Amino acid sequence: SCTLTVDVAGLAVGSQLNISDAIYAAESGYNTNLATGIAQAQLDVLAPPTIVKDFDPNLVLLGVTPGDASVLSFTITNPNPSSGLVGVSFSDTFPAGLVVATPANGSSTCTGTLTAVPGAGSVSFTGGAIGADGTCTVSVDVTGPAGVYPNTSSPVSHVIGGATVSNGLTASDTVVIDQPIPSLAFRKEIGPTGDLDGAWSDYLAVTAGDQVWYRLTVENTGELPLTGIAVSDPMLDLSG
């Protein structure tokens, strides 16, 4: 017997069926028997998984946002319509200051192992399995002191024939953690009637003795709830 070996590369995603010519020998001529004289094999060329990450919310207000935390989610997609992916893995090292929250609230919608230790500056996911045309979402809560945290994951990888293939994409997003800013807006208007939905303006011409009404509007334009708000106007006499 004689064995010939050659490396080939798939140029397009999908199933590639390769059929050889009939084998030939000078003594016997061509063997056109489909079972013994012609060889065929199918090569499945897989597209790598894609990954997208998202901080929700992208702005964390300390003391206002629940848990002072943002939910960091990774959505991994298998773009292959007829083949599943196994051994799906990625890691994400956070910028300094950003850590896994306590509790971490880690979760995954597919099989695999998520490592997310409260207080750690990174997370990882290994051994994921995603069916054909499927997706997997991996989530964990993160927190940190005030700052701007741009973050990019490692390339998402998978396993083919026992070998790890790291030709997937990376994923990037930014979370901002900040102290809330208190702010108030105040407006004073005058009108010819007391109808709150009536005609109000900053100026009204009247004759002496005409009755007028004032509308005072206080709006919380800041980033946190406010209490103990009081308004006074020394120019108004409400006694009569």
Side-chain angles (χ1 to χ4, degrees):
S1 65
C2 176
T3 301
L4 302 177
T5 303
V6 61
D7 290 341
V8 297
L11 299 180
V13 173
S15 296
Q16 314 293 331
L17 179 63
N18 178 247
I19 302 175
S20 73
D21 293 334
I23 193 169
Y24 171 83
E27 293 79 8
S28 61
Y30 288 99
N31 179 358
T32 58
N33 186 291
L34 293 177
T36 61
I38 298 174
Q40 67 178 22
Q42 180 171 297
L43 175 66
D44 292 327
V45 181
L46 301 181
T50 62
I51 184 171
V52 175
K53 73 185 302 183
D54 176 67
F55 288 103
D56 182 24
N58 279 94
L59 173 61
V60 174
L61 297 177
L62 295 173
V64 177
T65 304
D68 291 342
S70 177
V71 180
L72 173 57
S73 297
F74 303 86
T75 300
I76 308 165
T77 301
N78 175 7
N80 299 285
S82 58
S83 299
L85 295 177
V86 296
V88 176
S89 303
F90 71 89
S91 62
D92 191 359
T93 299
F94 305 148
L98 191 67
V99 297
V100 178
T102 303
N105 294 321
S107 65
S108 171
T109 61
C110 63
T111 59
T113 300
L114 170 62
T115 301
V117 180
S122 65
V123 296
S124 64
F125 180 76
T126 58
I130 307 175
D133 261 342
T135 61
C136 175
T137 300
V138 179
S139 299
V140 63
D141 289 358
V142 296
T143 188
V148 179
Y149 300 98
N151 180 226
T152 300
S153 73
S154 72
V156 60
S157 63
H158 61 295
V159 174
I160 298 179
T164 299
V165 182
S166 299
N167 61 342
L169 300 175
T170 61
S172 299
D173 198 16
T174 298
V175 63
V176 177
I177 301 178
D178 203 359
Q179 296 287 350
I181 300 173
S183 176
L184 274 177
F186 178 71
R187 186 175 184 184
K188 179 179 179 180
E189 299 167 289
I190 189 170
T193 72
D195 183 1
L196 291 178
D197 297 321
W200 297 92
S201 63
D202 297 326
Y203 170 81
L204 179 66
V206 297
T207 59
D210 287 349
Q211 192 174 30
V212 296
W213 281 260
Y214 285 96
R215 182 172 69 174
L216 308 179
T217 303
V218 180
E219 181 183 1
N220 183 353
T221 56
E223 298 171 330
L224 72 166
L226 299 176
T227 60
I229 298 171
V231 176
S232 63
D233 190 336
M235 300 299 294
L236 296 182
D237 181 4
L238 305 180
S239 61

